Amino acid sequence: MKKSSKVRRNLLCFMVVCTLIFQFYGIKPSAASSSWKLKYVYGAPSSASVSVWHKSVTTTKKATRATISAIDGGAKVFVYSSNGIGSIFYTTGHTEVNTVAGKIIQLRAEYTYHGSSSNTTSGTFSY
């Protein structure tokens, strides 16, 4: 066997192995996420407020996470996902549940108590 043929074969094997390693370890699916915001305007008509946010999504990873990044005015917010999250928050924080990728789920955030003053509550769902 010629030396150049052996080198080509070894190079081809190396390239195939590198490609497989890159596919299995180099490309990690990034989690999808959705941001949400609720708003309560004290003393204003209910049309000035946003009390409920909801969305239907398809999971992209093995966990669904709800994060509350801002909440004030004594408000309480219920966060829900149809794959297992159901928590009431009155302060910032997060909760998480295991799931499978490719599952269609419903996400929801809503005030359970608007609070005693105007406020804005926000967060994200990572799925």
mmCIF file with all atom_site columns, all heavy atoms in Angstrom, residues 24-42:
data_model
loop_
_atom_site.group_PDB
_atom_site.id
_atom_site.type_symbol
_atom_site.label_atom_id
_atom_site.label_alt_id
_atom_site.label_comp_id
_atom_site.label_asym_id
_atom_site.label_entity_id
_atom_site.label_seq_id
_atom_site.pdbx_PDB_ins_code
_atom_site.Cartn_x
_atom_site.Cartn_y
_atom_site.Cartn_z
_atom_site.occupancy
_atom_site.B_iso_or_equiv
_atom_site.pdbx_formal_charge
_atom_site.auth_seq_id
_atom_site.auth_comp_id
_atom_site.auth_asym_id
_atom_site.auth_atom_id
_atom_site.pdbx_PDB_model_num
ATOM 1   N N   . PHE A 1 24 ? -22.005 15.106 18.746 1.00 0.00 ? 24 PHE A N   1
ATOM 2   C CA  . PHE A 1 24 ? -22.511 14.629 20.024 1.00 0.00 ? 24 PHE A CA  1
ATOM 3   C C   . PHE A 1 24 ? -22.186 15.547 21.193 1.00 0.00 ? 24 PHE A C   1
ATOM 4   O O   . PHE A 1 24 ? -22.938 15.648 22.137 1.00 0.00 ? 24 PHE A O   1
ATOM 5   C CB  . PHE A 1 24 ? -21.988 13.223 20.325 1.00 0.00 ? 24 PHE A CB  1
ATOM 6   C CG  . PHE A 1 24 ? -22.597 12.178 19.442 1.00 0.00 ? 24 PHE A CG  1
ATOM 7   C CD1 . PHE A 1 24 ? -21.837 11.522 18.498 1.00 0.00 ? 24 PHE A CD1 1
ATOM 8   C CD2 . PHE A 1 24 ? -23.941 11.863 19.541 1.00 0.00 ? 24 PHE A CD2 1
ATOM 9   C CE1 . PHE A 1 24 ? -22.394 10.559 17.679 1.00 0.00 ? 24 PHE A CE1 1
ATOM 10  C CE2 . PHE A 1 24 ? -24.514 10.907 18.727 1.00 0.00 ? 24 PHE A CE2 1
ATOM 11  C CZ  . PHE A 1 24 ? -23.745 10.243 17.796 1.00 0.00 ? 24 PHE A CZ  1
ATOM 12  N N   . TYR A 1 25 ? -21.070 16.232 21.145 1.00 0.00 ? 25 TYR A N   1
ATOM 13  C CA  . TYR A 1 25 ? -20.644 17.043 22.276 1.00 0.00 ? 25 TYR A CA  1
ATOM 14  C C   . TYR A 1 25 ? -20.550 18.530 21.990 1.00 0.00 ? 25 TYR A C   1
ATOM 15  O O   . TYR A 1 25 ? -20.638 19.343 22.898 1.00 0.00 ? 25 TYR A O   1
ATOM 16  C CB  . TYR A 1 25 ? -19.294 16.557 22.798 1.00 0.00 ? 25 TYR A CB  1
ATOM 17  C CG  . TYR A 1 25 ? -19.346 15.145 23.288 1.00 0.00 ? 25 TYR A CG  1
ATOM 18  C CD1 . TYR A 1 25 ? -18.807 14.115 22.533 1.00 0.00 ? 25 TYR A CD1 1
ATOM 19  C CD2 . TYR A 1 25 ? -19.947 14.839 24.489 1.00 0.00 ? 25 TYR A CD2 1
ATOM 20  C CE1 . TYR A 1 25 ? -18.864 12.805 22.970 1.00 0.00 ? 25 TYR A CE1 1
ATOM 21  C CE2 . TYR A 1 25 ? -20.020 13.537 24.941 1.00 0.00 ? 25 TYR A CE2 1
ATOM 22  C CZ  . TYR A 1 25 ? -19.477 12.514 24.177 1.00 0.00 ? 25 TYR A CZ  1
ATOM 23  O OH  . TYR A 1 25 ? -19.535 11.231 24.612 1.00 0.00 ? 25 TYR A OH  1
ATOM 24  N N   . GLY A 1 26 ? -20.381 18.904 20.767 1.00 0.00 ? 26 GLY A N   1
ATOM 25  C CA  . GLY A 1 26 ? -20.157 20.304 20.429 1.00 0.00 ? 26 GLY A CA  1
ATOM 26  C C   . GLY A 1 26 ? -21.423 21.103 20.233 1.00 0.00 ? 26 GLY A C   1
ATOM 27  O O   . GLY A 1 26 ? -21.457 22.294 20.493 1.00 0.00 ? 26 GLY A O   1
ATOM 28  N N   . ILE A 1 27 ? -22.479 20.479 19.776 1.00 0.00 ? 27 ILE A N   1
ATOM 29  C CA  . ILE A 1 27 ? -23.730 21.192 19.523 1.00 0.00 ? 27 ILE A CA  1
ATOM 30  C C   . ILE A 1 27 ? -24.722 20.815 20.601 1.00 0.00 ? 27 ILE A C   1
ATOM 31  O O   . ILE A 1 27 ? -25.243 19.714 20.609 1.00 0.00 ? 27 ILE A O   1
ATOM 32  C CB  . ILE A 1 27 ? -24.303 20.855 18.132 1.00 0.00 ? 27 ILE A CB  1
ATOM 33  C CG1 . ILE A 1 27 ? -23.297 21.198 17.048 1.00 0.00 ? 27 ILE A CG1 1
ATOM 34  C CG2 . ILE A 1 27 ? -25.623 21.563 17.915 1.00 0.00 ? 27 ILE A CG2 1
ATOM 35  C CD1 . ILE A 1 27 ? -23.713 20.759 15.667 1.00 0.00 ? 27 ILE A CD1 1
ATOM 36  N N   . LYS A 1 28 ? -24.934 21.705 21.510 1.00 0.00 ? 28 LYS A N   1
ATOM 37  C CA  . LYS A 1 28 ? -25.901 21.468 22.573 1.00 0.00 ? 28 LYS A CA  1
ATOM 38  C C   . LYS A 1 28 ? -27.117 22.327 22.298 1.00 0.00 ? 28 LYS A C   1
ATOM 39  O O   . LYS A 1 28 ? -26.992 23.518 22.055 1.00 0.00 ? 28 LYS A O   1
ATOM 40  C CB  . LYS A 1 28 ? -25.294 21.814 23.917 1.00 0.00 ? 28 LYS A CB  1
ATOM 41  C CG  . LYS A 1 28 ? -24.083 20.954 24.204 1.00 0.00 ? 28 LYS A CG  1
ATOM 42  C CD  . LYS A 1 28 ? -23.725 20.955 25.626 1.00 0.00 ? 28 LYS A CD  1
ATOM 43  C CE  . LYS A 1 28 ? -22.448 20.172 25.743 1.00 0.00 ? 28 LYS A CE  1
ATOM 44  N NZ  . LYS A 1 28 ? -22.315 19.298 26.769 1.00 0.00 ? 28 LYS A NZ  1
ATOM 45  N N   . PRO A 1 29 ? -28.308 21.720 22.344 1.00 0.00 ? 29 PRO A N   1
ATOM 46  C CA  . PRO A 1 29 ? -29.491 22.522 22.071 1.00 0.00 ? 29 PRO A CA  1
ATOM 47  C C   . PRO A 1 29 ? -29.673 23.590 23.141 1.00 0.00 ? 29 PRO A C   1
ATOM 48  O O   . PRO A 1 29 ? -29.581 23.300 24.323 1.00 0.00 ? 29 PRO A O   1
ATOM 49  C CB  . PRO A 1 29 ? -30.638 21.511 22.102 1.00 0.00 ? 29 PRO A CB  1
ATOM 50  C CG  . PRO A 1 29 ? -30.108 20.343 22.838 1.00 0.00 ? 29 PRO A CG  1
ATOM 51  C CD  . PRO A 1 29 ? -28.623 20.358 22.670 1.00 0.00 ? 29 PRO A CD  1
ATOM 52  N N   . SER A 1 30 ? -29.863 24.803 22.713 1.00 0.00 ? 30 SER A N   1
ATOM 53  C CA  . SER A 1 30 ? -30.073 25.865 23.674 1.00 0.00 ? 30 SER A CA  1
ATOM 54  C C   . SER A 1 30 ? -31.539 25.884 24.071 1.00 0.00 ? 30 SER A C   1
ATOM 55  O O   . SER A 1 30 ? -32.418 25.573 23.276 1.00 0.00 ? 30 SER A O   1
ATOM 56  C CB  . SER A 1 30 ? -29.672 27.208 23.079 1.00 0.00 ? 30 SER A CB  1
ATOM 57  O OG  . SER A 1 30 ? -30.448 27.472 21.942 1.00 0.00 ? 30 SER A OG  1
ATOM 58  N N   . ALA A 1 31 ? -31.771 26.227 25.299 1.00 0.00 ? 31 ALA A N   1
ATOM 59  C CA  . ALA A 1 31 ? -33.134 26.252 25.803 1.00 0.00 ? 31 ALA A CA  1
ATOM 60  C C   . ALA A 1 31 ? -33.875 27.444 25.233 1.00 0.00 ? 31 ALA A C   1
ATOM 61  O O   . ALA A 1 31 ? -33.332 28.531 25.095 1.00 0.00 ? 31 ALA A O   1
ATOM 62  C CB  . ALA A 1 31 ? -33.116 26.343 27.326 1.00 0.00 ? 31 ALA A CB  1
ATOM 63  N N   . ALA A 1 32 ? -35.099 27.204 24.905 1.00 0.00 ? 32 ALA A N   1
ATOM 64  C CA  . ALA A 1 32 ? -35.947 28.308 24.478 1.00 0.00 ? 32 ALA A CA  1
ATOM 65  C C   . ALA A 1 32 ? -36.477 28.995 25.735 1.00 0.00 ? 32 ALA A C   1
ATOM 66  O O   . ALA A 1 32 ? -36.557 28.386 26.802 1.00 0.00 ? 32 ALA A O   1
ATOM 67  C CB  . ALA A 1 32 ? -37.101 27.768 23.640 1.00 0.00 ? 32 ALA A CB  1
ATOM 68  N N   . SER A 1 33 ? -36.822 30.253 25.608 1.00 0.00 ? 33 SER A N   1
ATOM 69  C CA  . SER A 1 33 ? -37.380 30.960 26.757 1.00 0.00 ? 33 SER A CA  1
ATOM 70  C C   . SER A 1 33 ? -38.372 32.010 26.292 1.00 0.00 ? 33 SER A C   1
ATOM 71  O O   . SER A 1 33 ? -38.327 32.463 25.150 1.00 0.00 ? 33 SER A O   1
ATOM 72  C CB  . SER A 1 33 ? -36.282 31.607 27.598 1.00 0.00 ? 33 SER A CB  1
ATOM 73  O OG  . SER A 1 33 ? -35.627 32.606 26.873 1.00 0.00 ? 33 SER A OG  1
ATOM 74  N N   . SER A 1 34 ? -39.263 32.343 27.195 1.00 0.00 ? 34 SER A N   1
ATOM 75  C CA  . SER A 1 34 ? -40.258 33.385 26.940 1.00 0.00 ? 34 SER A CA  1
ATOM 76  C C   . SER A 1 34 ? -40.315 34.303 28.149 1.00 0.00 ? 34 SER A C   1
ATOM 77  O O   . SER A 1 34 ? -40.428 33.840 29.283 1.00 0.00 ? 34 SER A O   1
ATOM 78  C CB  . SER A 1 34 ? -41.646 32.772 26.726 1.00 0.00 ? 34 SER A CB  1
ATOM 79  O OG  . SER A 1 34 ? -41.677 32.020 25.549 1.00 0.00 ? 34 SER A OG  1
ATOM 80  N N   . SER A 1 35 ? -40.208 35.591 27.885 1.00 0.00 ? 35 SER A N   1
ATOM 81  C CA  . SER A 1 35 ? -40.336 36.586 28.950 1.00 0.00 ? 35 SER A CA  1
ATOM 82  C C   . SER A 1 35 ? -41.777 37.020 29.062 1.00 0.00 ? 35 SER A C   1
ATOM 83  O O   . SER A 1 35 ? -42.510 37.034 28.085 1.00 0.00 ? 35 SER A O   1
ATOM 84  C CB  . SER A 1 35 ? -39.472 37.808 28.644 1.00 0.00 ? 35 SER A CB  1
ATOM 85  O OG  . SER A 1 35 ? -38.125 37.456 28.582 1.00 0.00 ? 35 SER A OG  1
ATOM 86  N N   . TRP A 1 36 ? -42.186 37.373 30.266 1.00 0.00 ? 36 TRP A N   1
ATOM 87  C CA  . TRP A 1 36 ? -43.549 37.848 30.481 1.00 0.00 ? 36 TRP A CA  1
ATOM 88  C C   . TRP A 1 36 ? -43.533 39.028 31.445 1.00 0.00 ? 36 TRP A C   1
ATOM 89  O O   . TRP A 1 36 ? -42.579 39.223 32.188 1.00 0.00 ? 36 TRP A O   1
ATOM 90  C CB  . TRP A 1 36 ? -44.455 36.727 31.010 1.00 0.00 ? 36 TRP A CB  1
ATOM 91  C CG  . TRP A 1 36 ? -43.939 36.057 32.253 1.00 0.00 ? 36 TRP A CG  1
ATOM 92  C CD1 . TRP A 1 36 ? -43.156 34.939 32.325 1.00 0.00 ? 36 TRP A CD1 1
ATOM 93  C CD2 . TRP A 1 36 ? -44.148 36.483 33.600 1.00 0.00 ? 36 TRP A CD2 1
ATOM 94  N NE1 . TRP A 1 36 ? -42.869 34.647 33.618 1.00 0.00 ? 36 TRP A NE1 1
ATOM 95  C CE2 . TRP A 1 36 ? -43.479 35.568 34.426 1.00 0.00 ? 36 TRP A CE2 1
ATOM 96  C CE3 . TRP A 1 36 ? -44.840 37.536 34.188 1.00 0.00 ? 36 TRP A CE3 1
ATOM 97  C CZ2 . TRP A 1 36 ? -43.475 35.689 35.811 1.00 0.00 ? 36 TRP A CZ2 1
ATOM 98  C CZ3 . TRP A 1 36 ? -44.838 37.654 35.570 1.00 0.00 ? 36 TRP A CZ3 1
ATOM 99  C CH2 . TRP A 1 36 ? -44.162 36.731 36.358 1.00 0.00 ? 36 TRP A CH2 1
ATOM 100 N N   . LYS A 1 37 ? -44.591 39.816 31.392 1.00 0.00 ? 37 LYS A N   1
ATOM 101 C CA  . LYS A 1 37 ? -44.703 40.990 32.253 1.00 0.00 ? 37 LYS A CA  1
ATOM 102 C C   . LYS A 1 37 ? -46.171 41.200 32.604 1.00 0.00 ? 37 LYS A C   1
ATOM 103 O O   . LYS A 1 37 ? -47.034 41.176 31.730 1.00 0.00 ? 37 LYS A O   1
ATOM 104 C CB  . LYS A 1 37 ? -44.154 42.218 31.545 1.00 0.00 ? 37 LYS A CB  1
ATOM 105 C CG  . LYS A 1 37 ? -44.076 43.465 32.417 1.00 0.00 ? 37 LYS A CG  1
ATOM 106 C CD  . LYS A 1 37 ? -43.570 44.638 31.630 1.00 0.00 ? 37 LYS A CD  1
ATOM 107 C CE  . LYS A 1 37 ? -42.144 44.890 32.010 1.00 0.00 ? 37 LYS A CE  1
ATOM 108 N NZ  . LYS A 1 37 ? -41.607 46.126 31.428 1.00 0.00 ? 37 LYS A NZ  1
ATOM 109 N N   . LEU A 1 38 ? -46.441 41.401 33.888 1.00 0.00 ? 38 LEU A N   1
ATOM 110 C CA  . LEU A 1 38 ? -47.772 41.748 34.368 1.00 0.00 ? 38 LEU A CA  1
ATOM 111 C C   . LEU A 1 38 ? -47.699 43.158 34.938 1.00 0.00 ? 38 LEU A C   1
ATOM 112 O O   . LEU A 1 38 ? -46.673 43.577 35.456 1.00 0.00 ? 38 LEU A O   1
ATOM 113 C CB  . LEU A 1 38 ? -48.235 40.771 35.458 1.00 0.00 ? 38 LEU A CB  1
ATOM 114 C CG  . LEU A 1 38 ? -48.236 39.288 35.096 1.00 0.00 ? 38 LEU A CG  1
ATOM 115 C CD1 . LEU A 1 38 ? -48.650 38.451 36.306 1.00 0.00 ? 38 LEU A CD1 1
ATOM 116 C CD2 . LEU A 1 38 ? -49.146 39.015 33.924 1.00 0.00 ? 38 LEU A CD2 1
ATOM 117 N N   . LYS A 1 39 ? -48.813 43.867 34.846 1.00 0.00 ? 39 LYS A N   1
ATOM 118 C CA  . LYS A 1 39 ? -48.826 45.259 35.315 1.00 0.00 ? 39 LYS A CA  1
ATOM 119 C C   . LYS A 1 39 ? -50.160 45.533 36.005 1.00 0.00 ? 39 LYS A C   1
ATOM 120 O O   . LYS A 1 39 ? -51.224 45.177 35.497 1.00 0.00 ? 39 LYS A O   1
ATOM 121 C CB  . LYS A 1 39 ? -48.653 46.196 34.119 1.00 0.00 ? 39 LYS A CB  1
ATOM 122 C CG  . LYS A 1 39 ? -48.724 47.669 34.461 1.00 0.00 ? 39 LYS A CG  1
ATOM 123 C CD  . LYS A 1 39 ? -48.474 48.528 33.244 1.00 0.00 ? 39 LYS A CD  1
ATOM 124 C CE  . LYS A 1 39 ? -49.684 48.534 32.341 1.00 0.00 ? 39 LYS A CE  1
ATOM 125 N NZ  . LYS A 1 39 ? -49.632 49.510 31.258 1.00 0.00 ? 39 LYS A NZ  1
ATOM 126 N N   . TYR A 1 40 ? -50.094 46.157 37.173 1.00 0.00 ? 40 TYR A N   1
ATOM 127 C CA  . TYR A 1 40 ? -51.296 46.584 37.884 1.00 0.00 ? 40 TYR A CA  1
ATOM 128 C C   . TYR A 1 40 ? -51.198 48.080 38.141 1.00 0.00 ? 40 TYR A C   1
ATOM 129 O O   . TYR A 1 40 ? -50.198 48.554 38.681 1.00 0.00 ? 40 TYR A O   1
ATOM 130 C CB  . TYR A 1 40 ? -51.445 45.832 39.208 1.00 0.00 ? 40 TYR A CB  1
ATOM 131 C CG  . TYR A 1 40 ? -52.585 46.331 40.043 1.00 0.00 ? 40 TYR A CG  1
ATOM 132 C CD1 . TYR A 1 40 ? -53.898 46.174 39.618 1.00 0.00 ? 40 TYR A CD1 1
ATOM 133 C CD2 . TYR A 1 40 ? -52.359 46.974 41.250 1.00 0.00 ? 40 TYR A CD2 1
ATOM 134 C CE1 . TYR A 1 40 ? -54.960 46.646 40.384 1.00 0.00 ? 40 TYR A CE1 1
ATOM 135 C CE2 . TYR A 1 40 ? -53.404 47.441 42.026 1.00 0.00 ? 40 TYR A CE2 1
ATOM 136 C CZ  . TYR A 1 40 ? -54.700 47.269 41.586 1.00 0.00 ? 40 TYR A CZ  1
ATOM 137 O OH  . TYR A 1 40 ? -55.750 47.746 42.343 1.00 0.00 ? 40 TYR A OH  1
ATOM 138 N N   . VAL A 1 41 ? -52.236 48.810 37.728 1.00 0.00 ? 41 VAL A N   1
ATOM 139 C CA  . VAL A 1 41 ? -52.276 50.257 37.942 1.00 0.00 ? 41 VAL A CA  1
ATOM 140 C C   . VAL A 1 41 ? -53.358 50.528 38.983 1.00 0.00 ? 41 VAL A C   1
ATOM 141 O O   . VAL A 1 41 ? -54.546 50.416 38.708 1.00 0.00 ? 41 VAL A O   1
ATOM 142 C CB  . VAL A 1 41 ? -52.570 51.019 36.626 1.00 0.00 ? 41 VAL A CB  1
ATOM 143 C CG1 . VAL A 1 41 ? -52.546 52.513 36.869 1.00 0.00 ? 41 VAL A CG1 1
ATOM 144 C CG2 . VAL A 1 41 ? -51.568 50.619 35.547 1.00 0.00 ? 41 VAL A CG2 1
ATOM 145 N N   . TYR A 1 42 ? -52.923 50.869 40.187 1.00 0.00 ? 42 TYR A N   1
ATOM 146 C CA  . TYR A 1 42 ? -53.832 51.087 41.307 1.00 0.00 ? 42 TYR A CA  1
ATOM 147 C C   . TYR A 1 42 ? -54.796 52.239 41.006 1.00 0.00 ? 42 TYR A C   1
ATOM 148 O O   . TYR A 1 42 ? -54.401 53.309 40.569 1.00 0.00 ? 42 TYR A O   1
ATOM 149 C CB  . TYR A 1 42 ? -53.032 51.408 42.573 1.00 0.00 ? 42 TYR A CB  1
ATOM 150 C CG  . TYR A 1 42 ? -53.884 51.599 43.797 1.00 0.00 ? 42 TYR A CG  1
ATOM 151 C CD1 . TYR A 1 42 ? -54.420 50.505 44.447 1.00 0.00 ? 42 TYR A CD1 1
ATOM 152 C CD2 . TYR A 1 42 ? -54.153 52.866 44.288 1.00 0.00 ? 42 TYR A CD2 1
ATOM 153 C CE1 . TYR A 1 42 ? -55.200 50.666 45.576 1.00 0.00 ? 42 TYR A CE1 1
ATOM 154 C CE2 . TYR A 1 42 ? -54.935 53.041 45.410 1.00 0.00 ? 42 TYR A CE2 1
ATOM 155 C CZ  . TYR A 1 42 ? -55.468 51.931 46.049 1.00 0.00 ? 42 TYR A CZ  1
ATOM 156 O OH  . TYR A 1 42 ? -56.256 52.104 47.156 1.00 0.00 ? 42 TYR A OH  1
#
